[in-house]
Amino acid sequence: MKRIAKSLALAGLVASVGMVGTVTAHAAEFKLLNVSYDPTRELYQEYNAAFAKHYLEATGDTVTIEQSHGGSGKQAQAVIDGLGADVVTLALAGDINAIVKKSGLIAADWQSRFELNATPYSSTIVFLVRKGNPKGVKDWADLVKPGIEVITPNPKTSGGARWNYLAAWAYANRTDGGDEQKTIAFVKSLYANVPVLDTGARGSTTTFAQKELGDVLTTWENEAYLVQDEFGKDNFEIVTPSLSIRAEPPVAVVDKNAEAHGTTEVAKAYLDYLYSAEGQTIAAKNHYRPSHPELVSDKALVDAFPQIDLVTIDDPQFGGWGEAQPKHFGEGGIFDQIHGAS
Amino acid sequence: MRRVLLAVALVYIAAVLVLPLVLVFTEAFRKGWENYLSAFTDPSSLAAIRLTLLVTVIAVPLNAVFGVLAAWSVTKYQFRGKALLTTLIDLPFSVSPVVSGMVYVLLFGAQGLIGPWLRDNGIEIIFAVPGIVLATMFVTVPFVARELIPLMQSQGTTDEEAALSLGASGWQTFRRVTLPNIKWGLVYGVLLCTARAMGEFGAVSVVSGHIRGKTTTMPLDIEILYNDYNFTAAFAMASLLALLALVTLLIKTVLELRFADELAGTRRH
């Protein structure tokens, strides 16, 4: 009898401990800081709400996501200087590599931790021109003509600007048959046509669309569509060049910060969900090219993207960000030379 | 000739000062009252207003006390390094606010001088509220001191000497003699300091980290809203900021009218 009473008491104790355990597990509240680049504002506004809902349903935990946006290079520098990001979703791998190298907050193998080089969505560089395309801009060659004003951000601070620059480079490299001096001359004359270099893609967009400066804006495809959504399809036209670049904005968990905040698991779940059917559909809706188009529920969203001949950063002419970053955008690199001289 | 000069001055003021202000308000009300007011129901904009007021409430009193102390030391005493102190007070005026923000990053940033120590001890300064307060304090240091130093210099030390010789203590002398003499200068200094503390953009932008709803002050929120293509809300916030500045100017004018005689009295001193 005594033994029964004892084991009953024990069972009660176990049960109550178990209940305390479940209660605390249910009370979990997480906060994530996503440090991102400029044009992803609308994307993550929609995605954050969707993820929070999904995570609550799947685990019972609530998660609130805070956002910080700015030029990609500037944002990477802020994380290096101590901005406590749990995840970074930047415009290019080179900026995340800079965080790895200068602060050690992210493990060096970050790009193999999520599918497809940690790139859940991609984009490309297109042109935006005013209604009726008054200057008749059709391809990269038109941007170097005298009297054309091109609006594009500064490759030193903006990730999108570096994709812009490299797309122009890839075009010139193809038409010049790989003669590097001619390619440099082409890119130089393009930047000679740029009256203002804003620090981020969004700054360039407002310069072009709101302040009405310039004849053509070279920008992310998603940003060009967004301008049409915001300012009306009748006011601007998108021009797709004959050749462009596959712009890959990758994502990473900032390991050391997430460890310190106790958010490693939820941070990983947050980025994983970008690859889900819902994440991919939200990306496509915001005009990012989904990495798994087959998962997007509305096929019309996928079919809306025009087919363009795209080179990648791993093309031999660039050799990946490890090679391209110092050669083109480093201190005293090609951009410094052509821009200082123009 | 007088009319021409007056006309030039008025046209200039209208074009450079009044027109932009009017534009801010017309843009803000472009889509009607309801849209205007809805800009202030957004939680992150409300957080920005709260943060701006918090920063102002901390930075202005501290700089007022320091300004009085500094002006007192510089004008009532002779000491080595006096010229250096006066120059240092002016430093925030001559240095670009962006540079002063950068200094805090170099000092408190993760790669900075004492950043690693702060991180190990769990103290957040940069990309958090303390950093924003510090940056604001830095740029607003000179306002009170700069207003008081010329005033106290012209007043000299005779009043204080008389009080002391009649047996007043140092504190009594300050409260009963010096403070009434400098009252108006102090009020002006505090008002200017307040306007700048609320409106500072450059230095705060560098140390903020731009976490929406957490480390964005009103000027930073205006930039974010503008970049979100949310022009009505951006101008609504801008109009509120302008309104706060106009209220400070209004207070100044009302005080001037109300106490005109007394003011003339202290000025003559």
Side-chain angles (χ1 to χ4, degrees), chain A residues 33 41 66-68 78 80-83 102-103 105 202 205-206 210-211 223 226-227 230-231 257, chain B residues 105 108-111 119 124 126-127 205 208-212 214 223-229 231 235:
Chain A
L33 173 58
R41 296 156 193 264
E66 291 168 335
Q67 287 292 140
S68 168
I80 292 166
D81 284 330
L83 180 58
K102 292 189 198 164
S103 72
L105 293 171
R202 192 48 65 85
T205 310
T206 40
Q210 177 78 358
K211 299 179 196 155
E223 186 77 358
L226 185 71
V227 173
E230 294 283 338
F231 293 87
N257 287 351
Chain B
V105 174
F108 301 122
Q111 316 295 317
R119 173 175 282 230
E124 280 191 327
I126 208 136
F127 306 125
S205 175
S208 142
H210 303 270
I211 307 169
R212 197 159 196 186
K214 200 170 158 194
E223 191 202 25
I224 290 178
L225 289 167
Y226 186 79
N227 280 339
D228 280 354
Y229 304 124
F231 300 119
F235 281 103

Side-chain angles (χ1 to χ4, degrees), chain B:
Chain B
M1 191 61 199
R2 209 183 78 181
R3 281 193 179 173
V4 174
L5 279 178
L6 199 65
V8 169
L10 284 178
V11 167
Y12 186 81
I13 299 261
V16 179
L17 292 179
V18 181
L19 198 64
L21 209 58
V22 171
L23 279 177
V24 165
F25 282 93
T26 43
E27 276 294 327
F29 286 105
R30 183 174 288 241
K31 290 186 183 159
W33 266 102
E34 278 172 25
N35 262 306
Y36 179 82
L37 289 177
S38 74
F40 303 113
T41 53
D42 179 56
S44 48
S45 293
L46 284 176
I49 297 172
R50 270 199 302 273
L51 180 60
T52 298
L53 294 178
L54 174 74
V55 168
T56 311
V57 162
I58 300 173
V60 173
L62 282 173
N63 273 334
V65 171
F66 166 79
V68 172
L69 285 178
W72 176 279
S73 320
V74 166
T75 53
K76 310 281 176 185
Y77 299 117
Q78 290 300 329
F79 58 93
R80 274 164 154 255
K82 190 164 135 175
L84 185 70
L85 180 64
T86 329
T87 315
L88 280 178
I89 291 171
D90 277 344
L91 195 66
F93 272 163
S94 47
V95 171
S96 159
V98 177
V99 177
S100 39
M102 291 302 299
V103 173
Y104 285 108
V105 174
L106 290 177
L107 205 58
F108 301 122
Q111 316 295 317
L113 267 183
I114 53 173
W117 183 85
L118 290 171
R119 173 175 282 230
D120 292 346
N121 289 279
I123 304 170
E124 280 191 327
I125 290 191
I126 208 136
F127 306 125
V129 175
I132 296 172
V133 172
L134 279 175
T136 307
M137 279 169 60
F138 181 91
V139 291
T140 53
V141 154
F143 286 92
V144 172
R146 265 292 128 209
E147 195 69 36
L148 291 182
I149 289 172
L151 182 67
M152 287 167 91
Q153 245 157 8
S154 69
Q155 287 171 350
T157 54
T158 44
D159 285 6
E160 280 82 5
E161 278 161 12
L164 288 172
S165 69
L166 290 171
S169 70
W171 173 241
Q172 279 174 324
T173 311
F174 174 75
R175 211 166 55 89
R176 298 267 206 26
V177 178
T178 313
L179 204 55
N181 274 347
I182 61 167
K183 191 164 65 186
W184 292 107
L186 188 59
V187 169
Y188 285 162
V190 166
L191 288 175
L192 287 175
C193 188
T194 307
R196 180 63 190 270
M198 290 189 298
E200 175 54 27
F201 178 82
V204 170
S205 175
V206 176
V207 298
S208 142
H210 303 270
I211 307 169
R212 197 159 196 186
K214 200 170 158 194
T215 64
T216 46
T217 58
M218 285 172 74
L220 299 184
D221 197 54
I222 292 167
E223 191 202 25
I224 290 178
L225 289 167
Y226 186 79
N227 280 339
D228 280 354
Y229 304 124
N230 201 342
F231 300 119
T232 308
F235 281 103
M237 278 294 263
S239 72
L240 181 63
L241 196 59
L243 209 64
L244 289 173
L246 287 176
V247 166
T248 14
L249 279 181
L250 196 72
I251 295 172
K252 179 176 166 260
T253 318
V254 167
L255 287 174
E256 268 176 357
L257 288 174
R258 190 123 182 239
F259 299 100
D261 299 341
E262 206 184 316
L263 197 63
T266 51
R267 278 273 161 91
R268 226 182 297 120
H269 244 289

